[in-house]
PDB file of all heavy atoms in Angstrom:
ATOM      1  N   LEU A 333    -117.338-100.052 -40.172  1.00 97.00           N
ATOM      2  CA  LEU A 333    -117.554-101.385 -40.760  1.00 97.00           C
ATOM      3  C   LEU A 333    -118.910-101.640 -41.291  1.00 97.00           C
ATOM      4  O   LEU A 333    -119.158-102.560 -42.050  1.00 97.00           O
ATOM      5  CB  LEU A 333    -117.161-102.501 -39.782  1.00 97.00           C
ATOM      6  CG  LEU A 333    -115.658-102.495 -39.335  1.00 97.00           C
ATOM      7  CD1 LEU A 333    -115.422-103.552 -38.265  1.00 97.00           C
ATOM      8  CD2 LEU A 333    -114.757-102.698 -40.515  1.00 97.00           C
ATOM      9  N   ALA A 334    -119.887-100.762 -40.980  1.00 97.00           N
ATOM     10  CA  ALA A 334    -121.291-100.982 -41.364  1.00 97.00           C
ATOM     11  C   ALA A 334    -121.439-101.020 -42.882  1.00 97.00           C
ATOM     12  O   ALA A 334    -122.282-101.750 -43.408  1.00 97.00           O
ATOM     13  CB  ALA A 334    -122.170 -99.888 -40.767  1.00 97.00           C
ATOM     14  N   GLY A 335    -120.586-100.251 -43.571  1.00 97.00           N
ATOM     15  CA  GLY A 335    -120.721-100.231 -45.047  1.00 97.00           C
ATOM     16  C   GLY A 335    -120.203-101.482 -45.725  1.00 97.00           C
ATOM     17  O   GLY A 335    -120.390-101.675 -46.925  1.00 97.00           O
ATOM     18  N   CYS A 336    -119.550-102.342 -44.935  1.00 98.00           N
ATOM     19  CA  CYS A 336    -118.999-103.633 -45.452  1.00 98.00           C
ATOM     20  C   CYS A 336    -119.936-104.799 -45.324  1.00 98.00           C
ATOM     21  O   CYS A 336    -119.629-105.862 -45.821  1.00 98.00           O
ATOM     22  CB  CYS A 336    -117.658-103.938 -44.759  1.00 98.00           C
ATOM     23  SG  CYS A 336    -116.447-102.686 -44.900  1.00 98.00           S
ATOM     24  N   VAL A 337    -121.082-104.598 -44.667  1.00 98.00           N
ATOM     25  CA  VAL A 337    -122.019-105.664 -44.378  1.00 98.00           C
ATOM     26  C   VAL A 337    -123.444-105.256 -44.693  1.00 98.00           C
ATOM     27  O   VAL A 337    -123.750-104.065 -44.921  1.00 98.00           O
ATOM     28  CB  VAL A 337    -121.943-106.171 -42.913  1.00 98.00           C
ATOM     29  CG1 VAL A 337    -120.550-106.684 -42.554  1.00 98.00           C
ATOM     30  CG2 VAL A 337    -122.350-105.024 -41.920  1.00 98.00           C
ATOM     31  N   LYS A 338    -124.327-106.240 -44.790  1.00 98.00           N
ATOM     32  CA  LYS A 338    -125.749-106.005 -45.046  1.00 98.00           C
ATOM     33  C   LYS A 338    -126.370-105.275 -43.885  1.00 98.00           C
ATOM     34  O   LYS A 338    -127.068-104.265 -44.050  1.00 98.00           O
ATOM     35  CB  LYS A 338    -126.471-107.310 -45.343  1.00 98.00           C
ATOM     36  CG  LYS A 338    -127.919-107.166 -45.664  1.00 98.00           C
ATOM     37  CD  LYS A 338    -128.544-108.541 -45.930  1.00 98.00           C
ATOM     38  CE  LYS A 338    -130.044-108.421 -46.094  1.00 98.00           C
ATOM     39  NZ  LYS A 338    -130.651-109.730 -46.268  1.00 98.00           N
ATOM     40  N   GLU A 339    -126.177-105.857 -42.703  1.00 98.00           N
ATOM     41  CA  GLU A 339    -126.738-105.241 -41.499  1.00 98.00           C
ATOM     42  C   GLU A 339    -125.836-105.651 -40.330  1.00 98.00           C
ATOM     43  O   GLU A 339    -125.161-106.641 -40.365  1.00 98.00           O
ATOM     44  CB  GLU A 339    -128.167-105.675 -41.224  1.00 98.00           C
ATOM     45  CG  GLU A 339    -128.370-107.155 -41.129  1.00 98.00           C
ATOM     46  CD  GLU A 339    -129.858-107.521 -41.087  1.00 98.00           C
ATOM     47  OE1 GLU A 339    -130.586-107.209 -42.015  1.00 98.00           O
ATOM     48  OE2 GLU A 339    -130.248-108.219 -40.099  1.00 98.00           O
ATOM     49  N   ILE A 340    -125.898-104.793 -39.278  1.00 97.00           N
ATOM     50  CA  ILE A 340    -125.022-105.037 -38.132  1.00 97.00           C
ATOM     51  C   ILE A 340    -125.790-104.689 -36.847  1.00 97.00           C
ATOM     52  O   ILE A 340    -126.450-103.636 -36.812  1.00 97.00           O
ATOM     53  CB  ILE A 340    -123.689-104.255 -38.263  1.00 97.00           C
ATOM     54  CG1 ILE A 340    -122.748-104.571 -37.175  1.00 97.00           C
ATOM     55  CG2 ILE A 340    -123.945-102.783 -38.418  1.00 97.00           C
ATOM     56  CD1 ILE A 340    -121.310-104.080 -37.445  1.00 97.00           C
ATOM     57  N   ASP A 341    -125.695-105.529 -35.872  1.00 96.00           N
ATOM     58  CA  ASP A 341    -126.231-105.253 -34.543  1.00 96.00           C
ATOM     59  C   ASP A 341    -125.092-104.730 -33.671  1.00 96.00           C
ATOM     60  O   ASP A 341    -124.046-105.379 -33.572  1.00 96.00           O
ATOM     61  CB  ASP A 341    -126.840-106.499 -33.881  1.00 96.00           C
ATOM     62  CG  ASP A 341    -128.143-106.900 -34.543  1.00 96.00           C
ATOM     63  OD1 ASP A 341    -128.766-106.110 -35.233  1.00 96.00           O
ATOM     64  OD2 ASP A 341    -128.603-108.065 -34.300  1.00 96.00           O
ATOM     65  N   ALA A 342    -125.323-103.593 -33.074  1.00 96.00           N
ATOM     66  CA  ALA A 342    -124.336-102.987 -32.169  1.00 96.00           C
ATOM     67  C   ALA A 342    -124.882-103.209 -30.717  1.00 96.00           C
ATOM     68  O   ALA A 342    -125.874-102.696 -30.354  1.00 96.00           O
ATOM     69  CB  ALA A 342    -124.205-101.511 -32.424  1.00 96.00           C
ATOM     70  N   LEU A 343    -124.150-104.102 -29.993  1.00 94.00           N
ATOM     71  CA  LEU A 343    -124.602-104.471 -28.629  1.00 94.00           C
ATOM     72  C   LEU A 343    -123.629-103.892 -27.603  1.00 94.00           C
ATOM     73  O   LEU A 343    -122.442-104.038 -27.724  1.00 94.00           O
ATOM     74  CB  LEU A 343    -124.620-106.002 -28.528  1.00 94.00           C
ATOM     75  CG  LEU A 343    -124.938-106.607 -27.151  1.00 94.00           C
ATOM     76  CD1 LEU A 343    -126.365-106.349 -26.787  1.00 94.00           C
ATOM     77  CD2 LEU A 343    -124.619-108.079 -27.139  1.00 94.00           C
ATOM     78  N   ASP A 344    -124.188-103.227 -26.586  1.00 92.00           N
ATOM     79  CA  ASP A 344    -123.345-102.738 -25.490  1.00 92.00           C
ATOM     80  C   ASP A 344    -124.208-102.618 -24.221  1.00 92.00           C
ATOM     81  O   ASP A 344    -125.401-102.479 -24.283  1.00 92.00           O
ATOM     82  CB  ASP A 344    -122.774-101.371 -25.851  1.00 92.00           C
ATOM     83  CG  ASP A 344    -121.551-101.050 -25.068  1.00 92.00           C
ATOM     84  OD1 ASP A 344    -121.682-100.600 -23.882  1.00 92.00           O
ATOM     85  OD2 ASP A 344    -120.435-101.288 -25.557  1.00 92.00           O
ATOM     86  N   ILE A 345    -123.542-102.735 -23.078  1.00 88.00           N
ATOM     87  CA  ILE A 345    -124.239-102.647 -21.793  1.00 88.00           C
ATOM     88  C   ILE A 345    -124.482-101.206 -21.371  1.00 88.00           C
ATOM     89  O   ILE A 345    -125.292-100.951 -20.498  1.00 88.00           O
ATOM     90  CB  ILE A 345    -123.474-103.402 -20.658  1.00 88.00           C
ATOM     91  CG1 ILE A 345    -122.085-102.790 -20.441  1.00 88.00           C
ATOM     92  CG2 ILE A 345    -123.423-104.854 -20.922  1.00 88.00           C
ATOM     93  CD1 ILE A 345    -121.367-103.230 -19.205  1.00 88.00           C
TER      94      ILE A 345
END
Side-chain angles (χ1 to χ4, degrees):
L333 295 176
C336 301
V337 298
K338 179 180 176 183
E339 58 189 59
I340 186 166
D341 286 345
L343 175 70
D344 203 277
I345 61 169

